Amino acid sequence: MQIDPDLQNVEKLIRYFMRSTHISESVMLMKPGNHGQSFIDETVPSLLEYGVLAEIENKGVGTQR
């Protein structure tokens, strides 16, 4: 049985979130590995739409979400 790659990526982010209060876009690129950008482009919008994730204001430097 093969697990859906999007589900694996969400699980990685949830594990990271359990140790933190927020997840930056750079971490979201890093955790899924080679699929980071496609995860942000294709999966994150759905997670935002369903309320699983919420965007917060970036207090740091740059244009991260």
Side-chain angles (χ1 to χ4, degrees):
M1 179 161 101
Q2 191 171 14
I3 298 176
D4 180 41
D6 287 337
L7 180 59
Q8 285 179 319
N9 291 332
V10 171
E11 286 177 354
K12 288 178 186 178
L13 293 177
I14 289 171
R15 278 189 237 114
Y16 180 86
F17 186 74
M18 290 170 59
R19 298 182 303 270
S20 181
T21 57
H22 69 279
I23 301 171
S24 69
E25 188 174 0
S26 61
V27 171
M28 293 178 104
L29 283 169
M30 181 180 60
K31 289 297 178 182
N34 295 335
H35 306 288
Q37 191 61 53
S38 65
F39 178 75
I40 287 177
D41 293 341
E42 298 169 14
T43 306
V44 169
S46 295
L47 296 174
L48 290 168
E49 180 182 340
Y50 289 108
V52 175
L53 296 178
E55 268 189 79
I56 59 172
E57 181 182 345
N58 179 28
K59 301 283 185 183
V61 179
T63 59
Q64 290 192 46
R65 297 180 277 177

